[in-house]
Amino acid sequence: MSTTDRTAQKATVTYPTDTELLITRDFPAPAELVWQALTQPEHVRNWYGMEEGGMKTCEIDFRVGGTWHYVLQGGEEGDYSFSGEYREIEPHTRFVSTESFDNMPGASYLVTVTLEEHDGVTTLRSHLQYPSQELRDGHVASGMEYGMNITYNRLEELLVALQGRQA
């Protein structure tokens, strides 16, 4: 897939309330494989972020009470750091975690990720709950949707490659 194709808008973003965001995206892979790609550092470092090789740190302690921390290589303004804590885990179907943009203190929200598989296609839903409309709107205005689509397109590339190895 070319860099141009990676910017394709495949995810749907809706706004259930003034403080929520719902991202929905289908992936051509079984839910168990999508789960692995979302939760295992060896996979996350291959798709998360805007560019290949841009992840400097990928730490995941995937258990209730465990934490995660990602650092993406930045430009002149410095690196971008994200972190959170896992609150609930239902293997292969759902997890809940906090997410913070560490470069901006107070920019934290709750994320509920669900996976639902039908005929080998998995629908990922990422429900973000913000403490205020201002924080949600600021996140959206930062270019979140553009970056998220590039990231999810890279995730799809990884899932296709992983399925090719299993065949």
Side-chain angles (χ1 to χ4, degrees):
M1 185 177 276
S2 72
T3 303
T4 304
D5 294 333
R6 284 193 175 150
T7 62
Q9 303 287 315
K10 294 184 179 181
T12 302
V13 178
T14 57
Y15 304 87
T17 70
D18 289 345
T19 59
E20 295 175 285
L21 184 67
L22 178 62
I23 301 162
T24 305
R25 168 76 188 255
D26 290 334
F27 291 98
E32 185 173 342
L33 188 60
V34 176
W35 181 267
Q36 291 171 13
L38 293 174
T39 62
Q40 296 176 0
E42 64 269 23
H43 296 312
V44 173
R45 68 175 51 96
N46 289 311
W47 63 266
Y48 190 91
M50 295 281 288
E51 59 188 65
E52 293 177 39
M55 183 172 265
K56 295 172 78 172
T57 302
C58 181
E59 299 169 349
I60 299 174
D61 180 10
F62 193 64
R63 61 182 176 81
V64 173
T67 60
W68 62 273
H69 182 222
Y70 304 158
V71 177
L72 303 177
Q73 184 172 322
E76 294 176 12
E77 58 278 345
D79 294 338
Y80 302 103
S81 178
F82 304 88
S83 62
E85 178 183 335
Y86 295 104
R87 298 219 173 139
E88 299 175 35
I89 297 173
E90 296 173 26
H92 304 184
T93 58
R94 179 178 180 272
F95 65 88
V96 179
S97 70
T98 59
E99 183 168 327
S100 297
F101 178 48
D102 301 328
N103 299 59
M104 183 184 297
S108 299
Y109 46 93
L110 190 67
V111 180
T112 302
V113 173
T114 58
L115 302 177
E116 187 176 331
E117 181 183 344
H118 293 287
D119 298 324
V121 174
T122 299
T123 300
L124 178 148
R125 288 181 185 84
S126 186
H127 181 242
L128 286 59
Q129 296 176 287
Y130 299 86
S132 70
Q133 182 176 358
E134 179 182 47
L135 185 59
R136 184 204 66 184
D137 292 351
H139 189 196
V140 172
S142 74
M144 177 278 306
E145 189 170 354
Y146 174 78
M148 178 242 352
N149 273 295
I150 290 173
T151 295
Y152 279 172
N153 290 345
R154 290 180 62 218
L155 173 57
E156 183 172 316
E157 289 175 358
L158 174 67
L159 291 166
V160 168
L162 290 172
Q163 288 181 94
R165 287 186 213 156
Q166 293 176 350

